[in-house]
Amino acid sequence: MSAARLLILGGTAEARALAQALTDADVPVVSSLAGRVARPRLPVGEVRIGGFGGPGALARWLGDQDIGAVIDATHPFAERISASAVAATADAGVPLLRLERPGWEASGEDRWHWVDDLPAAATAIRELGARRVLLTSGRQGLAAFAQDDVTWFLIRCVDPPDVALPARHEVLLDRGPYTLEGELALIDAHDIQLIVTKDSGGPLTEAKLAAARARGLPVVVVRRPPRQDVPTVRTVDEAVAWATTVASRAA
Ligand code: NAP
């Protein structure tokens, strides 16, 4: 991979940290973002924005751009781009690593209810009898809650939602990182009875879990989707070690 660049599939804090660490280690990188967020936090170095057009197009792009390795550092719930990366790197004969932060783990006092997807989260809210819910599962998938005209939702997301929303709601545009104090104030100000979250993992958005624990609130946690079997690391340091080994092998 002497002159070849490494592609980081990004959109996460880890992907930005990885771009910085590899740039510092003189490994040339290009970061790719989906373009979902209006004002994304940009990584250092070269950045491209927008979908590739599916796995075949990504495979061609890898060849055209002389990409020597790919690190998929996308969000744990971004399923399609990860599947695309697996197919495209196999097709192009380019090594692939998955960088995925660990999921969250409940502690003794937590009242977590695990569900498989957002429709199941909508069902769980009704079963648990909560009437005022903080919804932190992101802008995509909000349609799963649109039929609930009983519950009041505080919908927190980065950009304004563009799908049907439940009858009773307020939208709060925010992107974190969040603090325990801030989350407690939000819960108290809106008389929140339950929180819905994806198992995103990581420190930037975990304060809501500590806040729920402190207030004794139930949390509906959406499980991560299943993934294909790909070499995977949990930390940026491990991903840097892999990238520098791949780069030195190819030099
Ligand atoms: P997705 O369902 O896996 O991807 C949908 C399509 O968007 C992909 O097929 C691909 O288009 C394009 N795409 C996604 N990530 C891309 C990237 N890094 N670079 C270039 N194209 C990309 O993903 P998603 O759930 O919509 O998430 C989009 C982005 O937001 C991801 O990069 C992810 O890291 C970030 N993110 C997602 C979540 C979440 O909860 N899902 C949360 C925080 C951040 P083509 O097929 O045309 O190539």
Side-chain angles (χ1 to χ4, degrees), residues 75-80 82 98 100 115-117 198-199 222-228:
H75 191 269
F77 283 80
E79 293 177 73
R80 279 197 287 156
S82 292
R98 168 83 180 145
E100 184 170 306
V115 295
D116 283 338
D117 51 27
K198 291 175 175 170
D199 179 19
V222 181
R223 267 186 206 96
R224 293 180 174 190
R227 287 190 166 268
Q228 284 168 274

Side-chain angles (χ1 to χ4, degrees), residues 17-18 21-22 25 27 71 97 235-245:
L18 181 61
L22 289 177
V27 176
I71 298 184
L97 181 75
T235 65
V236 170
D237 285 351
E238 291 170 289
V240 170
W242 180 87
T244 47
T245 307

Side-chain angles (χ1 to χ4, degrees), residues 100-119:
E100 184 170 306
R101 60 177 92 134
W104 288 316
E105 285 178 22
S107 78
E109 315 107 73
D110 284 326
R111 299 172 56 202
W112 290 12
H113 301 266
W114 288 90
V115 295
D116 283 338
D117 51 27
L118 292 171

Side-chain angles (χ1 to χ4, degrees), residues 7-13 15 31-37 48-55 57-58 72-84 98 101 136-140 158 198 200 227:
L7 172 66
I8 301 173
L9 295 168
T12 58
S31 295
S32 176
L33 304 178
R36 285 278 183 288
V37 174
R48 65 160 302 285
I49 297 183
F52 295 94
L58 175 54
D72 172 13
T74 57
H75 191 269
F77 283 80
E79 293 177 73
R80 279 197 287 156
I81 187 65
S82 292
S84 200
R98 168 83 180 145
R101 60 177 92 134
T136 67
S137 47
R139 194 164 68 119
Q140 297 180 61
V158 177
K198 291 175 175 170
S200 298
R227 287 190 166 268

Side-chain angles (χ1 to χ4, degrees), residues 30-156:
V30 53
S31 295
S32 176
L33 304 178
R36 285 278 183 288
V37 174
R39 284 185 303 281
R41 292 187 175 124
L42 292 175
V44 299
E46 193 182 337
V47 178
R48 65 160 302 285
I49 297 183
F52 295 94
L58 175 54
R60 286 191 293 281
W61 190 91
L62 295 175
D64 292 348
Q65 297 290 321
D66 193 23
I67 298 295
V70 177
I71 298 184
D72 172 13
T74 57
H75 191 269
F77 283 80
E79 293 177 73
R80 279 197 287 156
I81 187 65
S82 292
S84 200
V86 172
T89 52
D91 194 10
V94 170
L96 170 68
L97 181 75
R98 168 83 180 145
L99 167 58
E100 184 170 306
R101 60 177 92 134
W104 288 316
E105 285 178 22
S107 78
E109 315 107 73
D110 284 326
R111 299 172 56 202
W112 290 12
H113 301 266
W114 288 90
V115 295
D116 283 338
D117 51 27
L118 292 171
T123 303
I125 290 169
R126 288 193 293 278
E127 286 172 356
L128 291 164
R131 288 287 180 264
R132 298 183 63 82
V133 169
L134 172 58
L135 202 48
T136 67
S137 47
R139 194 164 68 119
Q140 297 180 61
L142 283 174
F145 303 91
Q147 302 308 315
D148 184 340
D149 49 10
V150 175
T151 313
W152 180 85
F153 291 95
L154 181 59
I155 299 171
R156 183 166 70 186

